[in-house]
Amino acid sequence: MKKLLVGFLIFLVVFITVSFLLFQVSKSRTFQFFGEIVPRVETSQKIIALTFDDGPSRQKTDEILQILREENVKVTFYVTGAEIEKNPGELEKIIAEGHEIGNHTFDHKKMLLVSPSYVKSEIVRTDELIKKAGWTNEITFRPPYSTKLFTLPFYLSKNNRKTITWDVEPETYVEKSEDLINHTLDKTKNGSIILLHIMYNSRAESMKSVRPIIRGLREKGFEFKTVSEVLAMEN
Ligand SMILES: [Zn+2]
């Protein structure tokens, strides 16, 4: 009886430890179990990609497009299928301005313990909406919260698609616009992929930071490219 109890306790400890480790690994920006994950592109050139996640929203699409137009910058938007459907016409505007579009799933759920058929449906439905809006080039993929375990990376690698994450995420560390700008200028390197959220009213500090970040990085000699352009210039 005692042996059984000890055995059970050992099993429990191992189970909890493995679960905890897998959970930590699932959030990694730099590791996944199958296929290629790209937090930053290895390049000797001073090129970078600015990326915006979520949306397209009705509140903020016009505002961000105007800033990007005035600063003459092309960026990459990772959009969700649900938001494309909810806000018809917004994605078309983004595409018309020459920005790149990536797939950020349909429902923006954590892609952790999800079935293969769920993964496929999240990706395929969103791809279809992106194409329907007029996007004809390659669609890269970014998981919400960078969360993935087995089924998602397996599906992506089978379909020859890369997981695009990021190496500069100022919002994780600071809140105020000034700090977001400083953090970004400080951490950006050749081939960096910068993540910001600007699509909702709650992200006013991030929106305020976009123009100074663009100008500051240009001053440092960086040139803005879309994600697929930076990928194509890998060393
Ligand atoms: Zn997101």
Side-chain angles (χ1 to χ4, degrees):
M1 195 59 200
K2 213 172 172 185
K3 249 187 188 166
L4 208 65
L5 187 69
V6 170
F8 176 71
L9 283 175
I10 290 173
F11 167 78
L12 201 66
V13 167
V14 169
F15 180 78
I16 290 171
T17 308
V18 168
S19 303
F20 176 76
L21 289 175
L22 280 178
F23 181 64
Q24 293 305 318
V25 163
S26 78
K27 295 185 291 187
S28 172
R29 278 72 162 133
T30 53
F31 172 84
Q32 65 183 9
F33 285 105
F34 310 97
E36 198 182 339
I37 185 166
V38 184
R40 182 173 82 86
V41 174
E42 225 25 86
T43 174
S44 53
Q45 302 186 62
K46 295 203 86 174
I47 50 168
I48 50 175
L50 180 56
T51 67
F52 297 123
D53 276 15
D54 309 341
S57 76
R58 235 171 293 176
Q59 310 96 282
K60 294 292 169 187
T61 299
D62 289 341
E63 188 178 340
I64 188 64
L65 287 179
Q66 189 182 338
I67 294 171
L68 299 173
R69 200 182 310 126
E70 285 168 4
E71 298 300 322
N72 193 23
V73 163
K74 298 285 182 265
V75 305
T76 305
F77 287 86
Y78 284 94
V79 295
T80 67
E83 289 283 57
I84 300 171
E85 270 191 349
K86 217 172 85 190
N87 303 303
E90 301 299 331
L91 186 59
E92 282 85 345
K93 288 192 224 165
I94 299 174
I95 295 172
E97 302 250 354
H99 300 291
E100 183 166 315
I101 308 301
N103 184 326
H104 196 42
T105 72
F106 192 91
D107 277 324
H108 204 270
K109 296 262 158 60
K110 288 195 171 149
M111 303 291 274
L112 203 51
L113 298 170
V114 286
S115 70
S117 63
Y118 179 78
V119 167
K120 188 176 173 192
S121 144
E122 283 287 303
I123 295 180
V124 169
R125 280 189 298 157
T126 307
D127 277 347
E128 279 167 5
L129 288 165
I130 290 172
K131 287 180 197 161
K132 218 174 103 192
W135 181 252
T136 50
N137 295 335
E138 187 197 349
I139 305 170
T140 63
F141 179 83
R142 170 177 285 171
Y145 319 102
S146 184
T147 305
K148 63 244 155 299
L149 200 51
F150 301 119
T151 47
L152 174 63
F154 186 70
Y155 174 87
L156 290 169
S157 73
K158 248 181 47 190
N159 287 277
N160 289 316
R161 292 175 74 166
K162 289 173 181 159
T163 305
I164 308 296
T165 56
W166 53 83
D167 68 320
V168 182
E169 47 179 320
E171 293 155 338
T172 306
Y173 305 98
V174 289
E175 273 175 31
K176 290 270 162 246
S177 167
E178 203 188 299
D179 301 324
L180 294 169
I181 298 162
N182 287 336
H183 180 100
T184 306
L185 295 188
D186 188 44
K187 300 285 179 203
T188 301
K189 303 188 276 261
N190 292 359
S192 272
I193 301 175
I194 304 162
L195 166 65
L196 284 173
H197 296 78
I198 42 76
M199 277 294 177
Y200 303 101
N201 294 327
S202 58
R203 301 291 194 156
E205 292 294 313
S206 296
M207 184 66 103
K208 233 173 32 186
S209 313
V210 172
R211 206 187 292 268
I213 284 175
I214 292 171
R215 292 185 177 175
L217 288 172
R218 273 202 174 132
E219 231 164 73
K220 292 183 111 178
F222 288 110
E223 195 184 334
F224 288 88
K225 301 269 176 200
T226 66
V227 164
S228 62
E229 285 171 341
V230 175
L231 284 171
M233 292 166 87
E234 190 165 7
N235 275 0

